[in-house]
C-alpha cells in the first residue's frame, strides 16, 4: 500500500472512527460513549466549552492518551488495540498543537525533515527538497534556516503544519492552533488550513474560531461535558441549533 | 538632565527609603569589592615578594608538572566516563519502568549518600581482599581505584543533573516527536536529550569542577596527586608558601580551562536566541 493513494481516492472507510469511546482521568469521566466518524476529505470542526474534552478527543486519535473502553480506528485499523504498532499508525495522523512544540534546537528545515529521514528512511536530500516545497507552500520558503526562536508565533505554527505534512498523513488534527497567537497572526495560520482543506485533506479541527468553523467545516461537532451533544453542517448547527445545550453555548460565543 | 538633578532626586529617594537606596547600595558594592581586591592583591604581592623561595620553587616545579599530568589523566578519563554513565543514570531516573527506576534511584542514593572517601576505601581495600593474599591481578590499583570511584560517584551527580534537565523539557516536545511516529528511543536521542543536555550543562560542568577538586582525596589511596606533593615539600622544607603557590596554579590550570569549555558548550547550545 502506498501512502499517496489515501488522499487521492474517496474511500468508504472513514479516516478516523470512534466507536463507544470512554476515557477517564482517574475518577473523572472525560469522554463519554463517543461515536464519531471523519470521512475521507471531510473537515470536522469540534467546538465546545473549556474542559468539555475536545483536546482529549484529539489526543486519543493518535494515542497520546489511552482510552478505557471502545475503539478508535485509523482508516479501518484499530489504534487502540494494545498489540498494534502505534508508531506506524501515528505516521498517518498529523498533529498540530496549540503551543507549536517545534524542536528549538533544529532549524525550520530540520524540524520538517527529521521524521521523514529518521522514521521513513527517506534519503536526506529528497527529504530536504520536499521540506523546502512544504515550507514554500506555507509561505516560509525564505525561513528554512531559521531556528524557532527567530520566528514569530504565526511562522512557528506554519512550520509545525509543514512538519506534520512531511509525513504524508491521511488525516490532520489541529488543537486550537491559533489560540496562542497574537490576533494579527491568526489569519495567516487559518489561511494555510483553509488551503489544506481545499486540497482535500481530511481534518479534525478543535477551534474557537467560529468564522473558520462555518466557512471551512463540512460538519461541526459540539461537545459538552465529555459528550457529543449535537452534530451537523455548520449552517444548521450555528443558525438553528436543536439542543438547548447548543443554543446556550452558541449565545455565549457569539 | 543635569548632574545636580540626579543628585537631588537621589537625595529625595534617600529621605523616603531610609538608608538603603539604589545609589548607596551601588557605591557600597564598589567600595567593598575594591577594598577586597586591594587586600588580596596586597597579600599575594607580600607572599610572592617575601615568603616564596624562588630557588625551591623552580626546583620543585617538575614534581607539580608530574602531579598535574597524573591528575589530569584521572580527571579526563573519569569525567568522560562519569558524564557518559550519568546520562544513562538520568535516563534510568526518569524511566517509567519500575525496575530501572528503582535501580537508578538506589544507585544515586548510595553514591550521593555516602562520602567519596569511604567509596575510595571500599574499592581500594575491599575489592583486593576478595582475592587470596598476593593474587590480586591488577598492578596499579590506586590509579584504577581513582578512576572507578570518581566515575561511580560523579555519575550519580551527573545523573541527577541530567534528570533535572530532562524534566525541564516541556512535555509537548515528546508528544510532538511521538505524534510524528518516532519511537521513544529516537525521540529521546533526537529531541529530549539535546535539550536536556543544554539545561543540565551548567550543573554538569559544576560537578566536573568538583571532580577535579575531589582528586585531593586520592592521597589516602597512595595516589600521588597535587596535595600529596605539597605535603612532601612542606614537611621536608618547613616552607608552606612556596608549594601553596604552585598548588593554586596547578589546580587552576585544570579548572579554569574546564570552566571555559563549559561556557563554550553553553554558548553553542543557544540555537538562534543570541542574534
Ligand atoms: N492529564 C490530565 N489529567 C487529569 N485530568 C485531565 C488531564 N487532561 C485533561 N484533564 C481533564 O479532562 C477534562 C477535559 O479536558 P480537555 O483538555 O480535553 O478539555 P478541552 O475541551 O480541550 O478544554 P479547553 O477548551 O480548555 O482546551 C477536563 O476536566 C480536564 O481537567
Ligand atoms: Mg483543549
Amino acid at each position: 500500500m502506498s501512502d499517496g493513494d489515501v488522499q487521492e481516492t474517496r474511500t468508504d472507510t472513514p479516516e478516523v472512527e470512534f466507536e463507544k469511546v470512554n476515557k477517564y482521568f482517574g475518577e473523572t469521566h472525560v469522554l463519554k460513549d463517543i461515536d464519531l466518524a471523519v470521512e475521507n476529505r471531510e473537515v470536522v470542526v469540534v467546538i465546545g466549552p473549556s474542559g468539555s474534552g475536545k483536546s482529549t478527543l484529539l489526543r486519543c486519535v493518535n494515542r497520546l492518551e489511552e482510552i478505557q473502553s471502545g475503539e478508535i480506528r485509523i482508516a479501518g485499523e484499530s489504534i487502540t488495540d494494545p498489540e498494534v504498532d502505534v508508531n506506524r499508525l501515528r505516521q498517518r495522523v498529523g498533529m498540530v498543537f496549540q503551543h507549536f512544540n517545534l524542536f528549538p534546537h533544529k532549524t525550520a528545515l530540520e524540524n520538517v525533515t527529521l521524521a521523514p529521514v529518521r522514521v521513513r528512511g527517506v534519503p536526506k536530500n529528497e527529504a530536504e527538497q520536499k521540506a523546502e516545497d512544504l515550507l514554500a507552500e506555507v509561505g516560509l520558503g525564505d525561513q528554512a534556516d531559521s531556528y524557532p526562536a527567530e520566528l514569530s508565533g504565526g511562522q512557528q505554527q506554519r512550520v509545525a503544519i509543514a512538519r506534520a505534512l512531511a509525513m504524508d498523513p491521511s488525516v490532520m488534527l489541529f488543537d486550537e492552533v491559533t489560540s496562542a497567537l497574537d490576533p494579527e497572526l491568526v489569519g495567516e495560520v487559518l489561511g494555510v488550513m483553509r488551503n489544506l482543506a481545499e486540497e482535500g485533506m481530511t481534518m479534525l479541527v478543535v477551534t474557537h474560531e467560529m468564522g473558520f468553523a462555518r466557512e471551512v467545516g463540512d460538519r461541526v461537532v459540539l461537545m459538552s461535558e465529555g459528550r457529543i451533544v449535537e452534530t451537523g453542517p455548520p449552517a444548521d448547527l450555528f443558525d438553528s441549533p436543536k439542543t438547548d445545550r447548543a443554543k446556550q453555548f452558541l449565545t455565549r460565543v457569539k | 538632565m543635569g548632574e545636580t538633578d540626579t543628585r537631588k532626586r537621589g537625595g529625595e529617594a534617600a529621605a523616603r527609603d531610609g538608608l538603603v537606596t539604589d545609589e548607596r547600595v551601588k557605591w557600597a558594592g564598589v567600595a567593598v569589592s575594591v577594598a577586597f581586591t586591594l587586600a588580596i592583591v596586597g597579600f599575594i604581592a607580600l607572599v610572592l615578594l617575601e615568603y616564596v623561595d624562588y630557588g625551591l620553587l623552580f626546583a620543585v616545579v617538575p614534581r607539580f608538572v608530574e602531579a598535574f599530568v597524573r591528575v589530569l589523566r584521572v580527571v579526563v578519563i573519569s569525567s568522560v566516563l562519569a558524564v557518559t554513565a550519568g546520562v544513562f543514570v538520568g535516563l534510568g531516573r526518569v524511566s517509567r519502568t519500575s525496575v530501572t527506576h528503582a535501580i537508578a534511584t538506589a544507585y544515586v542514593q548510595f553514591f550521593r549518600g555516602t562520602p567519596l572517601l569511604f567509596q575510595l576505601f571500599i574499592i581500594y581495600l575491599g575489592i583486593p581482599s576478595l582475592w587470596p593474599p598476593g593474587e590480586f591481578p591488577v598492578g596499579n590499583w590506586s590509579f584504577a581505584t581513582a578512576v572507578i570511584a570518581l566515575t561511580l560517584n560523579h555519575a550519580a551527580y551527573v545523573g541527577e543533573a541530567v534528570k533535572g534537565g530532562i524534566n525541564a523539557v516541556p512535555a509537548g516536545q515528546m508528544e510532538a516527536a511521538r505524534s510524528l511516529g518516532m519511537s521513544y528511543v529516537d525521540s529521546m536521542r533526537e529531541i529530549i536529550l539535546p535539550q536536556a543536555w543544554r539545561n543540565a550543562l551548567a550543573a554538569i560542568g559544576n560537578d566536573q569542577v568538583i571532580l577535579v577538586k575531589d582528586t585531593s582525596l586520592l592521597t589516602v589511596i597512595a595516589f600521588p596527586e597535587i596535595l600529596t606533593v605539597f605535603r612532601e615539600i612542606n614537611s621536608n622544607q618547613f616552607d608552606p608558601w612556596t608549594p601553596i603557590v604552585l598548588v593554586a596554579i596547578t589546580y587552576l590550570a585544570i579548572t579554569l580551562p574546564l570552566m571555559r569549555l563549559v561556557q563554550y558548550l553553553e554558548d553553542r547550545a543557544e540555537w538562534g536566541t543570541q542574534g
Side-chain angles (χ1 to χ4, degrees):
Chain A
M1 175 169 53
S2 92
D3 294 291
D5 294 348
V6 187
Q7 282 181 47
E8 275 131 39
T9 49
R10 211 174 239 289
T11 51
D12 294 338
T13 323
E15 291 293 355
V16 180
E17 206 175 1
F18 287 72
E19 194 185 316
K20 285 238 169 307
V21 170
N22 282 282
K23 159 81 190 164
Y24 296 82
F25 281 116
E27 299 281 277
T28 348
H29 198 172
V30 188
L31 296 180
K32 299 171 184 161
D33 285 328
I34 299 289
D35 281 306
L36 175 68
V38 183
E39 303 296 335
N40 184 237
R41 300 180 145 250
E42 194 183 20
V43 176
V44 174
V45 177
V46 183
I47 60 174
S50 180
S52 55
K54 306 180 298 293
S55 295
T56 309
L57 180 88
L58 243 60
R59 293 163 57 82
C60 287
V61 173
N62 60 4
R63 223 166 112 180
L64 289 180
E65 303 288 355
E66 300 284 342
I67 63 173
Q68 276 66 50
S69 72
E71 188 176 61
I72 299 173
R73 288 183 291 272
I74 310 294
E77 236 183 305
S78 168
I79 192 170
T80 46
D81 176 355
E83 301 294 307
V84 81
D85 177 1
V86 64
N87 294 335
R88 180 175 58 80
L89 277 184
R90 277 175 176 155
Q91 295 174 42
R92 319 187 54 163
V93 182
M95 187 162 196
V96 186
F97 301 84
Q98 182 175 359
H99 296 289
F100 331 137
N101 300 350
L102 286 185
F103 307 133
H105 57 304
K106 299 198 176 280
T107 63
L109 190 80
E110 290 165 348
N111 265 275
V112 180
T113 55
L114 178 69
V117 172
R118 274 225 86 89
V119 181
R120 283 266 169 77
V122 176
K124 201 162 171 240
N125 54 345
E126 211 173 288
E128 282 175 356
Q129 185 54 54
K130 179 166 182 194
E132 278 164 18
D133 293 347
L134 283 168
L135 286 172
E137 223 169 281
V138 299
L140 293 171
D142 50 351
Q143 299 284 1
D145 295 326
S146 302
Y147 283 93
E150 297 163 337
L151 299 173
S152 74
Q155 292 174 323
Q156 289 190 53
Q157 195 59 295
R158 287 183 282 148
V159 174
I161 294 173
R163 175 176 71 179
L165 290 173
M167 292 300 279
D168 294 317
S170 48
V171 55
M172 287 280 285
L173 311 175
F174 295 86
D175 188 5
E176 294 196 33
V177 297
T178 57
S179 347
L181 297 178
D182 292 337
E184 74 272 19
L185 301 178
V186 168
E188 61 192 50
V189 173
L190 291 182
V192 168
M193 290 167 68
R194 181 166 307 162
N195 290 343
L196 263 182
E198 276 164 14
E199 285 164 20
M201 175 59 79
T202 308
M203 294 164 57
L204 184 55
V205 183
V206 172
T207 187
H208 291 303
E209 300 286 336
M210 295 302 153
F212 178 87
R214 189 187 275 273
E215 280 171 50
V216 183
D218 295 312
R219 197 148 52 96
V220 176
V221 169
L222 174 71
M223 286 191 73
S224 174
E225 292 169 4
R227 280 183 203 286
I228 294 180
V229 289
E230 191 166 338
T231 171
D236 295 1
L237 197 131
F238 285 122
D239 300 331
S240 46
K242 291 188 211 61
T243 58
D244 289 345
R245 196 68 202 79
K247 285 175 196 155
Q248 267 174 33
F249 177 73
L250 290 169
T251 41
R252 258 193 295 135
V253 296
K254 260 172 194 162
Chain B
M1 181 185 294
E3 181 68 28
T4 37
D5 286 339
T6 326
R7 284 235 188 86
K8 194 158 143 260
R9 288 200 324 162
E12 283 164 11
R16 258 200 323 276
D17 305 339
L19 275 175
V20 187
T21 65
D22 287 2
E23 194 73 354
R24 286 183 182 171
V25 166
K26 179 178 138 194
W27 287 112
V30 171
V32 169
S33 43
V34 168
F36 184 75
T37 308
L38 285 176
I40 295 291
V41 169
F43 184 71
I44 291 176
L46 178 75
V47 164
L48 291 179
L49 295 174
E50 297 293 325
Y51 293 94
V52 171
D53 172 350
Y54 286 92
L56 176 63
L57 186 129
F58 288 111
V60 297
V61 160
R63 293 168 65 184
F64 279 95
V65 171
E66 282 166 25
F68 169 82
V69 172
R70 272 195 300 269
V71 167
L72 189 64
R73 243 175 71 204
V74 168
V75 164
V76 169
I77 298 172
S78 313
S79 190
V80 168
L81 292 176
V83 171
T84 311
V87 170
F88 290 97
V89 173
L91 285 168
R93 291 280 283 141
V94 299
S95 168
R96 287 204 215 111
T97 312
S98 54
V99 192
T100 318
H101 182 263
I103 291 172
T105 305
Y107 174 86
V108 168
Q109 285 174 342
F110 180 80
F111 282 96
R112 295 212 310 170
T114 61
L116 175 58
L117 190 56
F118 168 61
Q119 293 158 18
L120 282 166
F121 285 140
I122 297 178
I123 297 165
Y124 189 64
L125 305 173
I127 303 291
S129 80
L130 302 176
W131 272 259
E135 286 180 29
F136 187 62
V138 182
N140 191 351
W141 186 234
S142 82
F143 178 82
T145 298
V147 169
I148 295 168
L150 288 170
T151 298
L152 291 176
N153 181 272
H154 284 275
Y157 287 94
V158 173
E160 286 307 272
V162 169
K163 175 196 164 198
I166 291 174
N167 287 338
V169 178
Q173 290 289 308
M174 182 56 108
E175 291 179 353
R178 297 306 305 271
S179 74
L180 289 164
M182 289 172 69
S183 66
Y184 176 82
V185 171
D186 268 359
S187 307
M188 266 292 172
R189 187 168 47 199
E190 291 286 330
I191 305 304
I192 307 302
L193 284 180
Q195 295 180 63
W197 172 251
R198 198 261 316 253
N199 297 339
L201 250 177
I204 293 174
N206 199 24
D207 180 62
Q208 301 322 292
V209 172
I210 296 174
L211 187 151
V212 172
K213 296 180 289 185
D214 277 349
T215 60
S216 60
L217 293 174
L218 300 179
T219 193
V220 302
I221 57 164
F223 184 91
E225 47 73 56
I226 296 161
L227 285 175
T228 314
V229 178
F230 166 83
R231 285 197 302 189
E232 285 165 11
I233 294 165
N234 181 48
S235 59
N236 292 337
Q237 313 287 329
F238 304 107
D239 170 7
W241 283 108
T242 304
I244 281 174
V245 168
L246 288 170
V247 167
I249 292 172
T250 312
Y251 274 114
L252 291 172
I254 303 177
T255 52
L256 292 185
L258 177 58
M259 290 185 233
R260 280 294 291 272
L261 172 68
V262 173
Q263 188 59 53
Y264 165 77
L265 292 173
E266 278 186 90
D267 290 345
R268 221 184 50 161
E270 281 304 317
W271 311 316
T273 49
Q274 57 185 1

